[in-house]
């Protein structure tokens, strides 16, 4: 039972990753992202999820340094973008990310999307960065089971994390089972479905019964399934709300009621059609 914001999941290689992190997609470079990261760290968040594609790594780095927290206390994730994939270009993209972030290692480096024909070469670069201890853990994002099988077949180091779209309308049950069986930690992006479920009746009913908000119920549901969550907000009150998920436990009946909300509905791109 996850009871505090400080709790972490242990990845396959022993590295510990917080169950809750702040997502910063669409948090604007400059004061907006810096303030969001500052507030999150002040409220006890210890993980930040960025990407070279978000164009806010510099701001994330500035906010980390300004926090005064020791580097090893904050779990920092970034990702290699699709146009950067390939062996040499990934190594270069990684150096550029580190430079913008102003750090000498990241905690987790992810392949952002499974670009057909490119992701295996990209993975070899991640394996090298892992061996050189520039990335404490490496993983993938938006990989379906067949992508993972394909990658695992030739990998020397297995991915430790798979970050995918995951919320009550797209629960990823089969993928979650596959990842569990292969010691890959599943991580949910858009865990709030970008705010689209706040009026959903089942969520509202459970939230009202618990004295919580629909957003908090959605996040707690994923935690109880063993899925890491990285809700994004740039507003103090929501960053705080999204961290208020450690003082209640959903019952089995409530978990079942939430399971019935599955619709196979994506808000993001289909990982089987990566042409961007
Ligand atoms: P989320 O499901 O986290 O929703 C974020 C949106 O919901 C924002 O518009 C935010 O607005 C709003 N919001 C935040 N908290 C609340 C709340 N408590 N109640 C109501 N609305 C709220 O979507 P994201 O797409 O941002 O996903 C989270 C993170 O996952 C990203 O920031 C990014 O780090 C990562 N991600 C990864 C992807 C990948 O391909 N690997 C793809 C997409 C995201 P406001 O900021 O104004 O509060």
């Amino acid at each position: 039972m996850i009871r505090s914001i400080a709790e972490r999941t242990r990845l396959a290689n022993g590295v510990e990753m917080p169950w809750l992190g702040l997502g910063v997609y669409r948090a604007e470079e400059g004061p907006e992202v810096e303030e969001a990261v500052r507030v999150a760290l002040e409220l006890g968040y210890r993980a930040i999820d960025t990407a070279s594609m978000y164009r806010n790594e510099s701001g994330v780095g500035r906010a980390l340094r300004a926090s005064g927290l020791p580097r090893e206390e904050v779990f920092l994730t970034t990702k290699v973008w699709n146009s950067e994939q390939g062996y040499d270009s990934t190594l270069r993209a990684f150096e550029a990310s580190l430079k913008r972030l102003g750090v000498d290692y990241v905690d987790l480096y992810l392949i952002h999307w499974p670009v057909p024909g490119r992701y295996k070469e990209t993975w070899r670069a991640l394996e090298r960065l892992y061996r050189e201890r520039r990335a404490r853990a490496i993983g993938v994002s938006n990989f379906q089971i067949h992508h993972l099988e394909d990658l695992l077949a030739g990998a020397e180091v297995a991915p430790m994390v798979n970050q995918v779209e995951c919320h009550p309308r797209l629960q990823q049950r089969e993928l979650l089972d596959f990842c569990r069986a292969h010691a890959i930690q599943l991580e949910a992006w858009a865990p709030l479905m970008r705010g689209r479920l706040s009026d959903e009746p089942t969520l509202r009913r459970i939230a009202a019964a618990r004295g919580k908000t629909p957003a908090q119920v959605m996040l707690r549901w994923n935690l109880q399934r063993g899925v890491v969550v990285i809700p994004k907000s740039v507003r103090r009150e929501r960053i705080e709300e999204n961290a208020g998920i450690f003082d209640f436990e959903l019952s089995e009946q409530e978990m079942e009621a939430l399971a019935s909300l599955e619709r196979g509905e994506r808000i993001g791109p289909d990982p089987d059609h990566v042409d961007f």
Side-chain angles (χ1 to χ4, degrees), residues 23-25 49-50 54 79 112-113 141-142 163 188-195 215 230-235 238 241-242:
V24 296
Y25 180 41
D49 182 85
T50 185
Y54 304 168
K79 318 183 187 86
H112 210 142
W113 288 88
S141 178
N142 300 302
Q163 181 185 112
W189 68 254
L192 303 173
M193 208 184 178
R194 300 200 179 134
I230 45 169
K232 176 262 178 183
S233 180
V234 293
R235 305 191 207 187
R238 285 177 172 175
E241 175 185 336
N242 296 341

PDB file of all heavy atoms in Angstrom, residues 23-25 49-50 54 79 112-113 141-142 163 188-195 215 230-235 238 241-242, ligand 1:
ATOM      1  N   GLY A  23       4.671  15.948 -14.624  1.00  0.00           N
ATOM      2  CA  GLY A  23       4.854  15.998 -16.079  1.00  0.00           C
ATOM      3  C   GLY A  23       4.934  17.457 -16.499  1.00  0.00           C
ATOM      4  O   GLY A  23       4.254  18.313 -15.929  1.00  0.00           O
ATOM      5  N   VAL A  24       5.760  17.733 -17.516  1.00  0.00           N
ATOM      6  CA  VAL A  24       5.888  19.136 -17.929  1.00  0.00           C
ATOM      7  C   VAL A  24       5.678  19.355 -19.434  1.00  0.00           C
ATOM      8  O   VAL A  24       6.113  20.354 -19.991  1.00  0.00           O
ATOM      9  CB  VAL A  24       7.241  19.768 -17.475  1.00  0.00           C
ATOM     10  CG1 VAL A  24       7.322  19.827 -15.955  1.00  0.00           C
ATOM     11  CG2 VAL A  24       8.439  19.034 -18.059  1.00  0.00           C
ATOM     12  N   TYR A  25       4.968  18.409 -20.073  1.00  0.00           N
ATOM     13  CA  TYR A  25       4.628  18.621 -21.488  1.00  0.00           C
ATOM     14  C   TYR A  25       3.701  19.839 -21.583  1.00  0.00           C
ATOM     15  O   TYR A  25       2.705  19.922 -20.853  1.00  0.00           O
ATOM     16  CB  TYR A  25       3.928  17.373 -22.032  1.00  0.00           C
ATOM     17  CG  TYR A  25       3.525  17.450 -23.482  1.00  0.00           C
ATOM     18  CD1 TYR A  25       4.356  18.020 -24.435  1.00  0.00           C
ATOM     19  CD2 TYR A  25       2.308  16.928 -23.907  1.00  0.00           C
ATOM     20  CE1 TYR A  25       3.981  18.080 -25.770  1.00  0.00           C
ATOM     21  CE2 TYR A  25       1.922  16.966 -25.242  1.00  0.00           C
ATOM     22  CZ  TYR A  25       2.765  17.552 -26.168  1.00  0.00           C
ATOM     23  OH  TYR A  25       2.378  17.594 -27.486  1.00  0.00           O
ATOM     24  N   ASP A  49       9.289  14.752 -15.221  1.00  0.00           N
ATOM     25  CA  ASP A  49       9.306  14.088 -16.522  1.00  0.00           C
ATOM     26  C   ASP A  49       9.325  15.128 -17.642  1.00  0.00           C
ATOM     27  O   ASP A  49       8.325  15.799 -17.876  1.00  0.00           O
ATOM     28  CB  ASP A  49       8.066  13.197 -16.677  1.00  0.00           C
ATOM     29  CG  ASP A  49       8.071  12.459 -18.005  1.00  0.00           C
ATOM     30  OD1 ASP A  49       8.682  11.389 -18.085  1.00  0.00           O
ATOM     31  OD2 ASP A  49       7.487  12.990 -18.985  1.00  0.00           O
ATOM     32  N   THR A  50      10.479  15.232 -18.328  1.00  0.00           N
ATOM     33  CA  THR A  50      10.562  16.144 -19.466  1.00  0.00           C
ATOM     34  C   THR A  50      11.007  15.362 -20.696  1.00  0.00           C
ATOM     35  O   THR A  50      11.011  14.120 -20.690  1.00  0.00           O
ATOM     36  CB  THR A  50      11.491  17.344 -19.143  1.00  0.00           C
ATOM     37  OG1 THR A  50      11.456  18.267 -20.239  1.00  0.00           O
ATOM     38  CG2 THR A  50      12.931  16.924 -18.888  1.00  0.00           C
ATOM     39  N   TYR A  54       9.900  18.716 -25.574  1.00  0.00           N
ATOM     40  CA  TYR A  54       9.105  19.709 -24.825  1.00  0.00           C
ATOM     41  C   TYR A  54       9.762  21.093 -24.825  1.00  0.00           C
ATOM     42  O   TYR A  54       9.147  22.079 -24.440  1.00  0.00           O
ATOM     43  CB  TYR A  54       8.870  19.269 -23.364  1.00  0.00           C
ATOM     44  CG  TYR A  54       8.213  17.916 -23.196  1.00  0.00           C
ATOM     45  CD1 TYR A  54       8.159  17.286 -21.953  1.00  0.00           C
ATOM     46  CD2 TYR A  54       7.634  17.246 -24.272  1.00  0.00           C
ATOM     47  CE1 TYR A  54       7.569  16.050 -21.790  1.00  0.00           C
ATOM     48  CE2 TYR A  54       7.045  16.000 -24.111  1.00  0.00           C
ATOM     49  CZ  TYR A  54       7.024  15.411 -22.879  1.00  0.00           C
ATOM     50  OH  TYR A  54       6.444  14.175 -22.716  1.00  0.00           O
ATOM     51  N   LYS A  79      13.841  12.314 -22.687  1.00  0.00           N
ATOM     52  CA  LYS A  79      13.580  11.355 -23.780  1.00  0.00           C
ATOM     53  C   LYS A  79      14.238  11.796 -25.077  1.00  0.00           C
ATOM     54  O   LYS A  79      14.376  12.998 -25.308  1.00  0.00           O
ATOM     55  CB  LYS A  79      12.058  11.243 -24.017  1.00  0.00           C
ATOM     56  CG  LYS A  79      11.234  11.200 -22.750  1.00  0.00           C
ATOM     57  CD  LYS A  79       9.741  11.017 -23.005  1.00  0.00           C
ATOM     58  CE  LYS A  79       8.959  11.162 -21.712  1.00  0.00           C
ATOM     59  NZ  LYS A  79       8.599  12.544 -21.363  1.00  0.00           N
ATOM     60  N   HIS A 112      11.278   8.039 -26.996  1.00  0.00           N
ATOM     61  CA  HIS A 112       9.967   8.687 -26.888  1.00  0.00           C
ATOM     62  C   HIS A 112       8.850   7.919 -27.618  1.00  0.00           C
ATOM     63  O   HIS A 112       7.757   7.739 -27.084  1.00  0.00           O
ATOM     64  CB  HIS A 112      10.074  10.122 -27.429  1.00  0.00           C
ATOM     65  CG  HIS A 112       9.140  11.088 -26.793  1.00  0.00           C
ATOM     66  ND1 HIS A 112       9.481  12.399 -26.510  1.00  0.00           N
ATOM     67  CD2 HIS A 112       7.859  10.958 -26.375  1.00  0.00           C
ATOM     68  CE1 HIS A 112       8.453  13.016 -25.953  1.00  0.00           C
ATOM     69  NE2 HIS A 112       7.450  12.166 -25.866  1.00  0.00           N
ATOM     70  N   TRP A 113       9.151   7.484 -28.858  1.00  0.00           N
ATOM     71  CA  TRP A 113       8.172   6.708 -29.638  1.00  0.00           C
ATOM     72  C   TRP A 113       8.905   5.616 -30.423  1.00  0.00           C
ATOM     73  O   TRP A 113      10.055   5.822 -30.819  1.00  0.00           O
ATOM     74  CB  TRP A 113       7.427   7.611 -30.648  1.00  0.00           C
ATOM     75  CG  TRP A 113       6.444   8.538 -29.992  1.00  0.00           C
ATOM     76  CD1 TRP A 113       6.707   9.790 -29.496  1.00  0.00           C
ATOM     77  CD2 TRP A 113       5.055   8.296 -29.735  1.00  0.00           C
ATOM     78  NE1 TRP A 113       5.554  10.323 -28.954  1.00  0.00           N
ATOM     79  CE2 TRP A 113       4.528   9.440 -29.089  1.00  0.00           C
ATOM     80  CE3 TRP A 113       4.202   7.214 -30.001  1.00  0.00           C
ATOM     81  CZ2 TRP A 113       3.191   9.533 -28.699  1.00  0.00           C
ATOM     82  CZ3 TRP A 113       2.861   7.311 -29.615  1.00  0.00           C
ATOM     83  CH2 TRP A 113       2.364   8.462 -28.964  1.00  0.00           C
ATOM     84  N   SER A 141       9.022   4.355 -24.445  1.00  0.00           N
ATOM     85  CA  SER A 141       7.737   5.004 -24.270  1.00  0.00           C
ATOM     86  C   SER A 141       6.880   4.701 -25.485  1.00  0.00           C
ATOM     87  O   SER A 141       7.402   4.655 -26.612  1.00  0.00           O
ATOM     88  CB  SER A 141       7.950   6.513 -24.099  1.00  0.00           C
ATOM     89  OG  SER A 141       6.714   7.162 -23.963  1.00  0.00           O
ATOM     90  N   ASN A 142       5.621   4.487 -25.248  1.00  0.00           N
ATOM     91  CA  ASN A 142       4.661   4.201 -26.322  1.00  0.00           C
ATOM     92  C   ASN A 142       4.972   2.898 -27.048  1.00  0.00           C
ATOM     93  O   ASN A 142       4.687   2.765 -28.241  1.00  0.00           O
ATOM     94  CB  ASN A 142       4.608   5.389 -27.298  1.00  0.00           C
ATOM     95  CG  ASN A 142       4.177   6.654 -26.596  1.00  0.00           C
ATOM     96  OD1 ASN A 142       3.091   6.700 -26.015  1.00  0.00           O
ATOM     97  ND2 ASN A 142       5.030   7.666 -26.588  1.00  0.00           N
ATOM     98  N   GLN A 163       6.683   3.942 -20.667  1.00  0.00           N
ATOM     99  CA  GLN A 163       5.755   5.043 -20.357  1.00  0.00           C
ATOM    100  C   GLN A 163       4.719   5.141 -21.473  1.00  0.00           C
ATOM    101  O   GLN A 163       5.084   5.396 -22.622  1.00  0.00           O
ATOM    102  CB  GLN A 163       6.543   6.358 -20.253  1.00  0.00           C
ATOM    103  CG  GLN A 163       5.657   7.537 -19.912  1.00  0.00           C
ATOM    104  CD  GLN A 163       6.393   8.873 -19.928  1.00  0.00           C
ATOM    105  OE1 GLN A 163       6.149   9.724 -20.782  1.00  0.00           O
ATOM    106  NE2 GLN A 163       7.296   9.065 -18.980  1.00  0.00           N
ATOM    107  N   ALA A 188       2.319   5.901 -16.442  1.00  0.00           N
ATOM    108  CA  ALA A 188       1.156   6.441 -17.159  1.00  0.00           C
ATOM    109  C   ALA A 188       1.360   7.887 -17.560  1.00  0.00           C
ATOM    110  O   ALA A 188       1.523   8.754 -16.704  1.00  0.00           O
ATOM    111  CB  ALA A 188      -0.086   6.351 -16.271  1.00  0.00           C
ATOM    112  N   TRP A 189       1.307   8.148 -18.880  1.00  0.00           N
ATOM    113  CA  TRP A 189       1.197   9.554 -19.304  1.00  0.00           C
ATOM    114  C   TRP A 189      -0.270   9.891 -19.557  1.00  0.00           C
ATOM    115  O   TRP A 189      -1.084   8.985 -19.774  1.00  0.00           O
ATOM    116  CB  TRP A 189       2.131   9.909 -20.439  1.00  0.00           C
ATOM    117  CG  TRP A 189       1.974   9.351 -21.839  1.00  0.00           C
ATOM    118  CD1 TRP A 189       2.760   8.391 -22.412  1.00  0.00           C
ATOM    119  CD2 TRP A 189       1.064   9.776 -22.859  1.00  0.00           C
ATOM    120  NE1 TRP A 189       2.387   8.189 -23.710  1.00  0.00           N
ATOM    121  CE2 TRP A 189       1.351   9.036 -24.024  1.00  0.00           C
ATOM    122  CE3 TRP A 189       0.034  10.725 -22.919  1.00  0.00           C
ATOM    123  CZ2 TRP A 189       0.643   9.177 -25.222  1.00  0.00           C
ATOM    124  CZ3 TRP A 189      -0.681  10.879 -24.109  1.00  0.00           C
ATOM    125  CH2 TRP A 189      -0.376  10.115 -25.238  1.00  0.00           C
ATOM    126  N   ALA A 190      -0.588  11.189 -19.465  1.00  0.00           N
ATOM    127  CA  ALA A 190      -1.990  11.634 -19.477  1.00  0.00           C
ATOM    128  C   ALA A 190      -2.830  10.840 -18.471  1.00  0.00           C
ATOM    129  O   ALA A 190      -3.936  10.385 -18.798  1.00  0.00           O
ATOM    130  CB  ALA A 190      -2.604  11.567 -20.874  1.00  0.00           C
ATOM    131  N   PRO A 191      -2.341  10.675 -17.244  1.00  0.00           N
ATOM    132  CA  PRO A 191      -3.106   9.895 -16.265  1.00  0.00           C
ATOM    133  C   PRO A 191      -4.430  10.561 -15.899  1.00  0.00           C
ATOM    134  O   PRO A 191      -5.317   9.903 -15.356  1.00  0.00           O
ATOM    135  CB  PRO A 191      -2.161   9.832 -15.048  1.00  0.00           C
ATOM    136  CG  PRO A 191      -1.318  11.064 -15.158  1.00  0.00           C
ATOM    137  CD  PRO A 191      -1.111  11.254 -16.647  1.00  0.00           C
ATOM    138  N   LEU A 192      -4.565  11.852 -16.248  1.00  0.00           N
ATOM    139  CA  LEU A 192      -5.831  12.561 -15.988  1.00  0.00           C
ATOM    140  C   LEU A 192      -6.659  12.654 -17.266  1.00  0.00           C
ATOM    141  O   LEU A 192      -7.670  13.346 -17.309  1.00  0.00           O
ATOM    142  CB  LEU A 192      -5.540  13.976 -15.474  1.00  0.00           C
ATOM    143  CG  LEU A 192      -4.664  14.048 -14.221  1.00  0.00           C
ATOM    144  CD1 LEU A 192      -4.301  15.495 -13.900  1.00  0.00           C
ATOM    145  CD2 LEU A 192      -5.391  13.415 -13.029  1.00  0.00           C
ATOM    146  N   MET A 193      -6.225  11.990 -18.302  1.00  0.00           N
ATOM    147  CA  MET A 193      -6.836  12.119 -19.629  1.00  0.00           C
ATOM    148  C   MET A 193      -7.015  13.602 -19.978  1.00  0.00           C
ATOM    149  O   MET A 193      -8.006  14.003 -20.576  1.00  0.00           O
ATOM    150  CB  MET A 193      -8.161  11.359 -19.726  1.00  0.00           C
ATOM    151  CG  MET A 193      -8.456  10.905 -21.139  1.00  0.00           C
ATOM    152  SD  MET A 193     -10.057  10.114 -21.277  1.00  0.00           S
ATOM    153  CE  MET A 193     -10.093   9.767 -23.049  1.00  0.00           C
ATOM    154  N   ARG A 194      -6.037  14.368 -19.565  1.00  0.00           N
ATOM    155  CA  ARG A 194      -6.001  15.824 -19.807  1.00  0.00           C
ATOM    156  C   ARG A 194      -7.278  16.524 -19.361  1.00  0.00           C
ATOM    157  O   ARG A 194      -7.768  17.448 -20.020  1.00  0.00           O
ATOM    158  CB  ARG A 194      -5.701  16.120 -21.278  1.00  0.00           C
ATOM    159  CG  ARG A 194      -4.358  15.547 -21.665  1.00  0.00           C
ATOM    160  CD  ARG A 194      -3.749  16.158 -22.903  1.00  0.00           C
ATOM    161  NE  ARG A 194      -2.457  15.547 -23.155  1.00  0.00           N
ATOM    162  CZ  ARG A 194      -2.036  15.117 -24.348  1.00  0.00           C
ATOM    163  NH1 ARG A 194      -2.791  15.246 -25.409  1.00  0.00           N
ATOM    164  NH2 ARG A 194      -0.846  14.576 -24.464  1.00  0.00           N
ATOM    165  N   GLY A 195      -7.842  16.047 -18.269  1.00  0.00           N
ATOM    166  CA  GLY A 195      -8.987  16.742 -17.674  1.00  0.00           C
ATOM    167  C   GLY A 195     -10.327  16.343 -18.275  1.00  0.00           C
ATOM    168  O   GLY A 195     -11.373  16.838 -17.848  1.00  0.00           O
ATOM    169  N   ALA A 215      -9.830  13.690 -10.252  1.00  0.00           N
ATOM    170  CA  ALA A 215      -8.404  13.578 -10.622  1.00  0.00           C
ATOM    171  C   ALA A 215      -7.664  12.727  -9.592  1.00  0.00           C
ATOM    172  O   ALA A 215      -6.876  11.838  -9.952  1.00  0.00           O
ATOM    173  CB  ALA A 215      -7.778  14.969 -10.709  1.00  0.00           C
ATOM    174  N   ILE A 230       2.443  10.556 -13.701  1.00  0.00           N
ATOM    175  CA  ILE A 230       3.144  11.835 -13.863  1.00  0.00           C
ATOM    176  C   ILE A 230       2.176  12.920 -14.347  1.00  0.00           C
ATOM    177  O   ILE A 230       2.332  13.482 -15.443  1.00  0.00           O
ATOM    178  CB  ILE A 230       4.339  11.696 -14.843  1.00  0.00           C
ATOM    179  CG1 ILE A 230       3.940  10.902 -16.105  1.00  0.00           C
ATOM    180  CG2 ILE A 230       5.527  11.028 -14.155  1.00  0.00           C
ATOM    181  CD1 ILE A 230       4.992  10.966 -17.221  1.00  0.00           C
ATOM    182  N   PRO A 231       1.153  13.253 -13.534  1.00  0.00           N
ATOM    183  CA  PRO A 231       0.199  14.291 -13.944  1.00  0.00           C
ATOM    184  C   PRO A 231       0.912  15.622 -14.178  1.00  0.00           C
ATOM    185  O   PRO A 231       1.863  15.944 -13.471  1.00  0.00           O
ATOM    186  CB  PRO A 231      -0.747  14.393 -12.748  1.00  0.00           C
ATOM    187  CG  PRO A 231       0.063  13.915 -11.574  1.00  0.00           C
ATOM    188  CD  PRO A 231       0.944  12.840 -12.140  1.00  0.00           C
ATOM    189  N   LYS A 232       0.429  16.350 -15.174  1.00  0.00           N
ATOM    190  CA  LYS A 232       0.999  17.666 -15.471  1.00  0.00           C
ATOM    191  C   LYS A 232       0.064  18.767 -14.976  1.00  0.00           C
ATOM    192  O   LYS A 232      -1.138  18.737 -15.219  1.00  0.00           O
ATOM    193  CB  LYS A 232       1.188  17.817 -16.983  1.00  0.00           C
ATOM    194  CG  LYS A 232       1.684  19.199 -17.426  1.00  0.00           C
ATOM    195  CD  LYS A 232       0.560  20.102 -17.901  1.00  0.00           C
ATOM    196  CE  LYS A 232       1.024  21.483 -18.296  1.00  0.00           C
ATOM    197  NZ  LYS A 232      -0.109  22.362 -18.688  1.00  0.00           N
ATOM    198  N   SER A 233       0.616  19.744 -14.331  1.00  0.00           N
ATOM    199  CA  SER A 233      -0.102  20.993 -14.110  1.00  0.00           C
ATOM    200  C   SER A 233       0.909  22.098 -13.904  1.00  0.00           C
ATOM    201  O   SER A 233       2.014  21.857 -13.432  1.00  0.00           O
ATOM    202  CB  SER A 233      -1.039  20.912 -12.902  1.00  0.00           C
ATOM    203  OG  SER A 233      -1.704  22.167 -12.767  1.00  0.00           O
ATOM    204  N   VAL A 234       0.516  23.310 -14.269  1.00  0.00           N
ATOM    205  CA  VAL A 234       1.361  24.466 -13.984  1.00  0.00           C
ATOM    206  C   VAL A 234       0.686  25.353 -12.939  1.00  0.00           C
ATOM    207  O   VAL A 234       1.108  26.468 -12.706  1.00  0.00           O
ATOM    208  CB  VAL A 234       1.665  25.283 -15.269  1.00  0.00           C
ATOM    209  CG1 VAL A 234       2.531  24.459 -16.217  1.00  0.00           C
ATOM    210  CG2 VAL A 234       0.390  25.729 -15.954  1.00  0.00           C
ATOM    211  N   ARG A 235      -0.384  24.824 -12.318  1.00  0.00           N
ATOM    212  CA  ARG A 235      -1.092  25.621 -11.305  1.00  0.00           C
ATOM    213  C   ARG A 235      -0.869  25.024  -9.928  1.00  0.00           C
ATOM    214  O   ARG A 235      -1.120  23.832  -9.719  1.00  0.00           O
ATOM    215  CB  ARG A 235      -2.589  25.598 -11.579  1.00  0.00           C
ATOM    216  CG  ARG A 235      -2.936  26.051 -12.962  1.00  0.00           C
ATOM    217  CD  ARG A 235      -4.416  26.252 -13.030  1.00  0.00           C
ATOM    218  NE  ARG A 235      -4.882  26.073 -14.391  1.00  0.00           N
ATOM    219  CZ  ARG A 235      -6.119  26.322 -14.761  1.00  0.00           C
ATOM    220  NH1 ARG A 235      -7.003  26.712 -13.872  1.00  0.00           N
ATOM    221  NH2 ARG A 235      -6.476  26.147 -16.010  1.00  0.00           N
ATOM    222  N   ARG A 238      -3.524  22.748  -8.325  1.00  0.00           N
ATOM    223  CA  ARG A 238      -3.658  21.412  -8.940  1.00  0.00           C
ATOM    224  C   ARG A 238      -2.439  20.540  -8.678  1.00  0.00           C
ATOM    225  O   ARG A 238      -2.571  19.322  -8.536  1.00  0.00           O
ATOM    226  CB  ARG A 238      -3.887  21.554 -10.434  1.00  0.00           C
ATOM    227  CG  ARG A 238      -5.301  22.014 -10.759  1.00  0.00           C
ATOM    228  CD  ARG A 238      -5.434  22.197 -12.236  1.00  0.00           C
ATOM    229  NE  ARG A 238      -6.799  22.446 -12.649  1.00  0.00           N
ATOM    230  CZ  ARG A 238      -7.130  22.734 -13.902  1.00  0.00           C
ATOM    231  NH1 ARG A 238      -6.195  22.814 -14.832  1.00  0.00           N
ATOM    232  NH2 ARG A 238      -8.383  22.936 -14.212  1.00  0.00           N
ATOM    233  N   GLU A 241      -3.235  19.312  -5.409  1.00  0.00           N
ATOM    234  CA  GLU A 241      -4.346  18.344  -5.488  1.00  0.00           C
ATOM    235  C   GLU A 241      -3.853  16.988  -6.008  1.00  0.00           C
ATOM    236  O   GLU A 241      -4.189  15.933  -5.441  1.00  0.00           O
ATOM    237  CB  GLU A 241      -5.415  18.911  -6.449  1.00  0.00           C
ATOM    238  CG  GLU A 241      -6.580  17.962  -6.720  1.00  0.00           C
ATOM    239  CD  GLU A 241      -7.551  18.527  -7.769  1.00  0.00           C
ATOM    240  OE1 GLU A 241      -7.618  19.762  -7.960  1.00  0.00           O
ATOM    241  OE2 GLU A 241      -8.240  17.698  -8.410  1.00  0.00           O
ATOM    242  N   ASN A 242      -3.020  17.017  -7.030  1.00  0.00           N
ATOM    243  CA  ASN A 242      -2.563  15.768  -7.650  1.00  0.00           C
ATOM    244  C   ASN A 242      -1.617  14.974  -6.750  1.00  0.00           C
ATOM    245  O   ASN A 242      -1.349  13.805  -7.012  1.00  0.00           O
ATOM    246  CB  ASN A 242      -1.907  16.059  -9.000  1.00  0.00           C
ATOM    247  CG  ASN A 242      -2.903  16.657 -10.004  1.00  0.00           C
ATOM    248  OD1 ASN A 242      -4.113  16.529  -9.821  1.00  0.00           O
ATOM    249  ND2 ASN A 242      -2.405  17.315 -11.030  1.00  0.00           N
TER     250      ASN A 242
HETATM  251  P1  LIG B   1      -2.494  14.942 -17.967  1.00  0.00           P
HETATM  252  O1  LIG B   1      -3.484  13.845 -17.993  1.00  0.00           O
HETATM  253  O2  LIG B   1      -1.449  14.964 -16.919  1.00  0.00           O
HETATM  254  O3  LIG B   1      -3.351  16.276 -17.937  1.00  0.00           O
HETATM  255  C1  LIG B   1      -2.777  17.553 -17.954  1.00  0.00           C
HETATM  256  C2  LIG B   1      -3.902  18.568 -18.210  1.00  0.00           C
HETATM  257  O4  LIG B   1      -4.884  18.501 -17.181  1.00  0.00           O
HETATM  258  C3  LIG B   1      -3.404  19.972 -18.232  1.00  0.00           C
HETATM  259  O5  LIG B   1      -4.182  20.677 -19.200  1.00  0.00           O
HETATM  260  C4  LIG B   1      -3.671  20.509 -16.835  1.00  0.00           C
HETATM  261  O6  LIG B   1      -3.907  21.889 -16.900  1.00  0.00           O
HETATM  262  C5  LIG B   1      -4.929  19.729 -16.441  1.00  0.00           C
HETATM  263  N1  LIG B   1      -4.959  19.347 -15.014  1.00  0.00           N
HETATM  264  C6  LIG B   1      -3.917  19.042 -14.205  1.00  0.00           C
HETATM  265  N2  LIG B   1      -4.315  18.693 -12.979  1.00  0.00           N
HETATM  266  C7  LIG B   1      -5.663  18.770 -12.999  1.00  0.00           C
HETATM  267  C8  LIG B   1      -6.654  18.530 -12.012  1.00  0.00           C
HETATM  268  N3  LIG B   1      -6.327  18.145 -10.797  1.00  0.00           N
HETATM  269  N4  LIG B   1      -7.955  18.699 -12.375  1.00  0.00           N
HETATM  270  C9  LIG B   1      -8.284  19.090 -13.622  1.00  0.00           C
HETATM  271  N5  LIG B   1      -7.381  19.333 -14.606  1.00  0.00           N
HETATM  272  C10 LIG B   1      -6.083  19.171 -14.279  1.00  0.00           C
HETATM  273  O7  LIG B   1      -1.836  15.005 -19.451  1.00  0.00           O
HETATM  274  P2  LIG B   1      -0.379  15.148 -20.049  1.00  0.00           P
HETATM  275  O8  LIG B   1      -0.498  14.876 -21.492  1.00  0.00           O
HETATM  276  O9  LIG B   1       0.277  16.397 -19.666  1.00  0.00           O
HETATM  277  O10 LIG B   1       0.440  13.922 -19.409  1.00  0.00           O
HETATM  278  C11 LIG B   1       1.229  14.026 -18.248  1.00  0.00           C
HETATM  279  C12 LIG B   1       2.709  14.006 -18.586  1.00  0.00           C
HETATM  280  O11 LIG B   1       3.047  12.806 -19.256  1.00  0.00           O
HETATM  281  C13 LIG B   1       3.165  15.081 -19.560  1.00  0.00           C
HETATM  282  O12 LIG B   1       3.234  16.369 -18.992  1.00  0.00           O
HETATM  283  C14 LIG B   1       4.468  14.520 -20.011  1.00  0.00           C
HETATM  284  O13 LIG B   1       5.473  14.712 -19.035  1.00  0.00           O
HETATM  285  C15 LIG B   1       4.115  13.046 -20.158  1.00  0.00           C
HETATM  286  N6  LIG B   1       3.654  12.715 -21.536  1.00  0.00           N
HETATM  287  C16 LIG B   1       4.401  11.788 -22.231  1.00  0.00           C
HETATM  288  C17 LIG B   1       4.072  11.429 -23.504  1.00  0.00           C
HETATM  289  C18 LIG B   1       4.892  10.430 -24.218  1.00  0.00           C
HETATM  290  O14 LIG B   1       4.695  10.242 -25.416  1.00  0.00           O
HETATM  291  N7  LIG B   1       5.818   9.757 -23.553  1.00  0.00           N
HETATM  292  C19 LIG B   1       2.919  12.026 -24.205  1.00  0.00           C
HETATM  293  C20 LIG B   1       2.171  12.964 -23.393  1.00  0.00           C
HETATM  294  C21 LIG B   1       2.545  13.255 -22.108  1.00  0.00           C
HETATM  295  P3  LIG B   1      -3.061  22.989 -16.051  1.00  0.00           P
HETATM  296  O15 LIG B   1      -1.601  22.799 -16.335  1.00  0.00           O
HETATM  297  O16 LIG B   1      -3.588  24.282 -16.566  1.00  0.00           O
HETATM  298  O17 LIG B   1      -3.394  22.728 -14.621  1.00  0.00           O
END
